[in-house]
Structure formats: structure tokens, C-alpha cells
Amino acid sequence: MTVLSQLPRPSRKLALGLAVLAGPLALAGALLPAYLADPDGIRALLAVRLHAPDLERLGQTSPVILVHLGFGVLALAVGAILMAGRKGARMHRILGWGWVLAVGIVAVTSLFIQTVNPGHFSFIHILSGYVIIALPLAVAAARRHDVERHRRYMTGMFYGGFAVNLLFVLLPGRLVWNLFLG
């Protein structure tokens, strides 16, 4: 029995939410000084201006990144519906299979995206490897009716995965940053 499972339901959700936020915030805090030490990094942060999406940039983007981005947005939307909805119902299972497919495509396509470290994997690819392993384990747990393990895997992938990924895609110079803020 974990400390988290001993907390009452509202406190458990709050603790999980804080834990999910703590990792990306700590990572951002560690990366920010290095980013600010670079004059181009400072210029990028000072030039921030929110605008409508620059669709011309999407036309110049590689197909693998477009597939990755499209299925990522789909997984985020379906995952939010799944997290807010009733668990175990038929609709949860149907949408869940869609989410698993979308997240699987996002994880596999990320292996072909090497813009941060051209020709090599980067730190974010560790998360892709985890998802490629954890996703089938989470499905197997659900099929065995091991609800607790299924819940841990899926909530971890949804909240942790998207929190960390949002941190990376919103870095100045990256596609999503340039679409809305660059």
C-alpha cells in the first residue's frame, strides 16, 4: 500500500497533480539558467507575442512531425475526456482503445523526430521508450481486471507524459512555440 493510496480521494488527486507539476517545473528551473545564458534564448523570450496559428509553418513541416502533432492533440483531447468521465463503462473502453492507438502512434513517430539532437536521440526519447513499454502493460492490466495497476499506468502516462511533453514543445524555437508565440 502506497502513501498516496492512503489519502482520501480529493487529497490523492491534489497530490498527484502537484507531483505531475513538480517534475516539469524542476526541469524548467534547471534548464532556464542555461537557456538565459544564450543571447538567442533571451531574444526569443523577449520577442514572445501570442498570435493566431501560423499555418504556413505547418506546410513546411515534415509529414512525420505532422502525424506526431495530430495524434498528440487527439490523444490529449481523448485522454481529457477519459480522465473526466466514468471509468469502466463501455464508452471508456471504446475511447480507451482510441487513446492507446493515438498514444502508441505518438510514441513511435517521436523516434523519427530528431530535430533537437540531429541524427541522435534526445532526453525526451526516454519518455517514448517508457510509453512503448508501459502502454501494452497497462492494456494487459485492464484485461486482467487489475484496475489499480491499469489506473497507475494510464494516469502516469497521461498526466506525466503530457506535462513533460508540453514543457518541451513550448520551448522557444520549437514548432508549437513558433505556431502560436514566435
Side-chain angles (χ1 to χ4, degrees):
M1 187 168 269
T2 65
V3 172
L4 190 61
S5 65
Q6 294 172 355
L7 293 172
R9 198 68 154 145
S11 298
R12 193 179 320 170
K13 285 186 177 183
L14 177 62
L16 181 62
L18 291 175
V20 165
L21 287 175
L25 289 176
L27 186 59
L31 294 175
L32 192 60
Y35 194 78
L36 292 177
D38 179 13
D40 291 333
I42 294 171
R43 276 190 223 103
L45 287 175
L46 294 176
V48 172
R49 57 181 177 77
L50 183 63
H51 55 77
D54 183 359
L55 299 180
E56 190 174 308
R57 287 189 192 269
L58 285 179
Q60 301 165 352
T61 303
S62 75
V64 72
I65 292 176
L66 292 175
V67 169
H68 180 78
L69 180 63
F71 278 96
V73 171
L74 176 66
L76 179 61
V78 172
I81 292 167
L82 287 167
M83 291 298 149
R86 191 171 141 245
K87 312 299 183 271
R90 184 168 190 227
M91 187 55 67
H92 178 84
R93 291 192 303 274
I94 292 168
L95 288 175
W97 279 111
W99 188 82
V100 165
L101 179 64
V103 169
I105 291 171
V106 169
V108 170
T109 56
S110 74
L111 299 175
F112 298 97
I113 301 171
Q114 299 175 351
T115 54
V116 172
N117 198 7
H120 299 88
F121 291 125
S122 61
F123 174 75
I124 195 71
H125 288 102
I126 294 170
L127 181 61
S128 301
Y130 170 77
V131 168
I132 290 169
I133 293 167
L135 206 53
L137 293 174
V139 170
R143 297 191 55 84
R144 285 190 318 267
H145 302 285
D146 186 349
V147 176
E148 184 62 26
R149 183 171 302 211
H150 173 74
R151 184 188 60 76
R152 279 196 317 262
Y153 273 125
M154 292 304 196
T155 56
M157 279 187 278
F158 180 75
Y159 292 115
F162 281 109
V164 170
N165 280 313
L166 284 175
L167 172 70
F168 280 99
V169 300
L170 291 175
L171 286 174
R174 304 287 310 267
L175 176 65
V176 174
W177 172 276
N178 291 333
L179 281 175
F180 297 99
L181 302 168

